[in-house]
Amino acid sequence: MKDHPLFEEEKKKNSPTNPHRQTPFAPNTTTGPNPGPKLLIQKLGIATISRLIVPNHLLTHQTTMPPLTPNSLAALLQSAIATSSSLTGRAAHAHIIRSLQPPHPTFLSNHLINMYSKLDLPNSAQLLLHLTPSRSVVTWTALIAGLVHNRHFASALLNFINMRRDSVLPNDFTFPCAFKASGLLRRPVIGKQVHALAFKAGQICDVFVGCSAFDMYCKTGLGDDAAKVFDEMPERNLATWNAYMSNAVLDRRMFSAVEKFIEYVRAGGEPNSITFCAFLNACSDLSALELGRQLHGFVMRFGFGRDVSVMNGLVDFYGKCRDVGSARMVFERIGQANHVSWCSMVTAYVQNNEEEKACGLFLRARREGVEPTDFMVSSVLSACSGLAWLEQGRSVHALAVKACVDGNVFVGSGLVDMYGKCGSIEDAVCAFDTMPSRNLISWNAMVGGYTHQGHANMALALFEEMSDGSHEVKPNYVTLVCVLSACSRAGDVQKGMQIFDSMKSRYGVEPGAEHYACVVDLLGRAGMVEHAYEFITKMPIRPTISIWGALLGACKMYKKPELGKIAADKLFELDPKDSGNHVVLSNLLAATGRWEEATLVRKEMKDVGIKKGAGYSWIAVKNAVHIFQAKDTSHEMNSEIQAMLIYLRTKMEEAGYVLDTNFALFDLEEEEKVSEVWYHSEKIALAFGLIAIPSGLPIRINKNLRICGDCHGAIKFISGIVDREIIVRDNNRFHRFREGHCSCRDYW
C-alpha cells in the first residue's frame, strides 16, 4: 500500500506510467512556494512556533512577522506527522481557526484530517471530516489511509463504505488502503468486492492498485486468484515482483519464489534489497546452500555488498544452512553492523550448537555499545539454555530488565525456557507468573520445564489448565509431545494413552512421529517392552529413528537383547553412521553377559570407521566452564579431586554403599570394573564441584550422555553425606538430588 503523498513530487516519483498526474494533496501554489516539512521549523524559527502555541497578549517581546501562509501551515502539519507531535499539530490547527476566516481552504482541511488520522487521533479526524462541507476523495482517503496506518482496519473499511454512500468514487490511493485492510483482516469476501469496484472504476490496471489486490489475495489464502491477478497485470513494477516472492515464501512455496526471481532477472529487472532478502529466505528454507552462494556472488557483482539488510540476510541464510564459517565471514565484513546484524550472528551460532560463541559474541556486542533488543536477548537466552549456564542466563535477565525488554512476550518465553533447562524451576515459574501476556510458546516452555525436571504432575496440571478454555491458547503439536513425555517419565501409562487416543478428536492434532516415539517410550519405561514393539508394528506411519531409539533404550533398561537387536538393526538401516546406536547395543549385550557379541559390535564400528562420541561432563564455576571425561586426570586441581573421590568413596562404603559393577561395559576383572565405574566423568565433576563451590550453594552438573545407574545411585548417597543439593542434567532430563533422594524417583 502507498502512503498518501502530500506533494506533487512524491506522486510523480511513484507513478512512472503517468508522470503528469496531479496529486490530490498538491499545495496551493497561489500563495508561494512551500518549504519541506523537515526544514519548516528552522525556517520559521522558535518565535513562530511560540506564536502558534502562546496567545499574543502573553508574549513579552513582540516582533513584526508576516502572517503564516496556508502553505506554511500545511507544511507545519506535515512536520507534526514527521515528528509524531500532536502538540505541534493541534497548535497549528488552533492558529488556522484563529487566523483564517471560514470556510477554510479545502486542502488545509484535508491536511488536518491527514494529521489527526496519522497521529492516531481518529475521533478528531472523524469530527473534522463531518465538519468539512465539501468532502472530496482526497478528504476521505486522508482519513482511511491514516486509519490503515494505525491498524484500525475495520474502521477504515467502514469509512470506505461511507465514502461510497457519499457518492465519492475511490481513486488509486484509496483502493490500496481498502485492499490492505481487507487482507490484514483476512476478509476475502470484502477484498473481492473492493476488487470489483476497482475493476468497474478502471483503476485495477494501475500498477499500485493491482499490486495491492494481488497482496490481498495472498494474505487471505486465495493463491489461485492471486496468480490470476499477477498474470493479468498489464504492468508490473519491482514492488509487485517483491510482493509475489515474499508471499510465496510466507506460503511455503519456495520453488515458486526462486522461479519468479530468475524470471525477473532474465526480463532485465533490477532487484533491490527486498528482492534479495526474499530469495535468501527461500534458499534458507530449502537448505539450498549452493543456490544461495550463487546469489551471494550476484549480490557482490550487483553492488549490494555494502547494503546492511542484504548482508544480514546472508548471515541468516548461512546460519540456517549450517555454514557458520561463511556467516561469520559475512558478519565481520559488514561495515556498520546494526542490531539486526549482531542478532543474526548470535542466532546463527545458536542454530549450529555453538552456544559458547553466541554468548561470547553477545558480550562483545555489549562492549561495543550495542543496546540489547528483544530479539537479541531471546537468542542469547537460547544459548544459555543449551549450555545450561544459569549464571550467564541470570546476567542476561538483568540486562533485559535494564533495557526494559523483559516484558516482551518472546523474552519472557525465553526466560521461562532458559530457567527450565538450567534446572531452576522456581525461577521459571516466577518468570512465567510475572509475564504481562503469554502466548502458546510461553505455555509450552513452562510445560516442558516441568517435564524435563520430573514434575510430571505439575506439567499435567498446567496442561489441563490450557485445555479448559479459560485462556486464549490451545494445546498444539509441541504441547502434546511435552505432555506425553511427562506421562512417560511419571510412569502414568493410563493417562498417557488416554491423551494420545484423544489427540485428534479433542485437540485437533494429528499424531506425528514424535508422539508415537513418546508412546513407545511410555510403554518401554513401564516395562511393557513387547507391547511397545507390537505398537510399532501397528503404527500407520513408517517408524522413525526416534521411535526405534526409544525401543532400543527400553530394551537396554530391561535387558531384552533379542528385541534390542531388532531395534538396532532398524536404526543401522536408517542412520548407519550414528555411533550412539552401536554403543547402546554393545552396552545392552555387555550388561546381559554376552561379551563376545558386544565385542563384535565394537569391532564392526571400527571396521566401518564409526567412532564413539566421547562422554563428558561439565560444570560452571566463577564464569568458567570445567570439562571432564572418564578417568580424567588433566585438571589443574587433579590431586584435590582424587583426594575428594577417595573421601567420598570411604564415607559411602561406611554408609553401606556397594558399587554396581554391572555398568562396567568391558569384560574385566572385578577390581578393574570398580575402577572403570568409579571414575566416570560425572563423579569427577561432582568432586570438583564440592571443592570449588561454596557450601550451601547447589552443584549443577551437565552431561552429554545419559547418566549411568551407578552414578545415579552414588550421587544420591553423596547428596545425603555432604548435605548438598546436586542437580545433574543429562541428555534426557534433570535429576535433582537432595537428602539421598532424586526427583526422578529412580524412574528414568
Side-chain angles (χ1 to χ4, degrees), residues 82-93:
T83 57
S84 300
S85 174
S86 60
L87 178 63
T88 303
R90 288 185 185 278
H93 188 185

Side-chain angles (χ1 to χ4, degrees), residues 633-646 691:
T633 59
S634 62
H635 196 275
E636 59 184 9
M637 295 179 64
N638 180 60
S639 57
E640 293 93 332
I641 292 171
Q642 298 303 322
M644 177 59 74
L645 285 170
I646 293 171
I691 297 167

Side-chain angles (χ1 to χ4, degrees), residues 713-726 736-743:
I715 295 174
K716 277 203 306 181
F717 256 85
I718 293 169
S719 68
I721 291 170
V722 300
D723 193 24
R724 297 283 290 270
E725 182 181 9
I726 304 166
R736 179 173 292 206
F737 300 93
R738 188 185 297 168
E739 297 177 351
H741 300 281
C742 179
S743 60

Side-chain angles (χ1 to χ4, degrees), residues 315-468:
V315 172
D316 178 71
F317 157 71
Y318 281 121
K320 289 178 178 175
C321 289
R322 303 291 180 182
D323 188 356
V324 71
S326 295
R328 182 170 54 246
M329 177 196 70
V330 173
F331 173 77
E332 297 296 347
R333 292 181 180 179
I334 298 176
Q336 293 182 332
N338 57 20
H339 64 90
V340 178
S341 314
W342 290 94
C343 182
S344 298
M345 193 64 237
V346 169
T347 304
Y349 279 132
V350 173
Q351 290 169 340
N352 289 275
N353 302 315
E354 296 189 20
E355 290 88 356
E356 199 166 349
K357 289 183 179 179
C359 291
L361 186 68
F362 177 75
L363 296 175
R364 175 183 155 192
R366 297 291 300 128
R367 287 193 298 269
E368 295 191 16
V370 179
E371 289 297 320
T373 63
D374 48 357
F375 293 107
M376 188 182 294
V377 170
S378 300
S379 298
V380 79
L381 284 172
S382 297
C384 296
S385 301
L387 290 171
W389 196 352
L390 181 61
E391 291 75 14
Q392 181 71 9
R394 283 177 171 156
S395 299
V396 175
H397 188 178
L399 280 172
V401 173
K402 186 177 178 181
C404 299
V405 297
D406 56 313
N408 178 276
V409 66
F410 298 107
V411 174
S413 301
L415 287 168
V416 174
D417 181 66
M418 182 273 295
Y419 282 123
K421 290 180 178 175
C422 288
S424 183
I425 194 65
E426 296 83 2
D427 288 327
V429 172
C430 181
F432 181 78
D433 290 341
T434 55
M435 288 180 69
S437 62
R438 308 182 189 114
N439 59 12
L440 184 57
I441 297 172
S442 317
W443 287 86
N444 285 348
M446 194 67 249
V447 173
Y450 279 134
T451 299
H452 289 306
Q453 296 192 41
H455 301 288
N457 293 334
M458 297 298 293
L460 290 169
L462 197 63
F463 172 70
E464 292 298 333
E465 186 179 344
M466 287 180 69
S467 307
D468 64 10

Side-chain angles (χ1 to χ4, degrees), residues 89 125 163 216 238 280 299 303 329 343 368 383 444 506 594 707:
M163 181 184 71
M216 179 274 297
L238 177 57
L280 285 169
V299 163
M329 177 196 70
C343 182
E368 295 191 16
N444 285 348
R506 183 176 179 186
R594 300 166 73 159
I707 186 172

Side-chain angles (χ1 to χ4, degrees), residues 254-275:
M254 308 306 166
F255 288 108
S256 181
V258 171
E259 288 169 0
K260 284 299 175 187
F261 176 85
I262 296 171
E263 181 183 341
Y264 176 64
V265 173
R266 284 177 176 170
E270 296 184 357
N272 64 3
S273 58
I274 298 173
T275 323

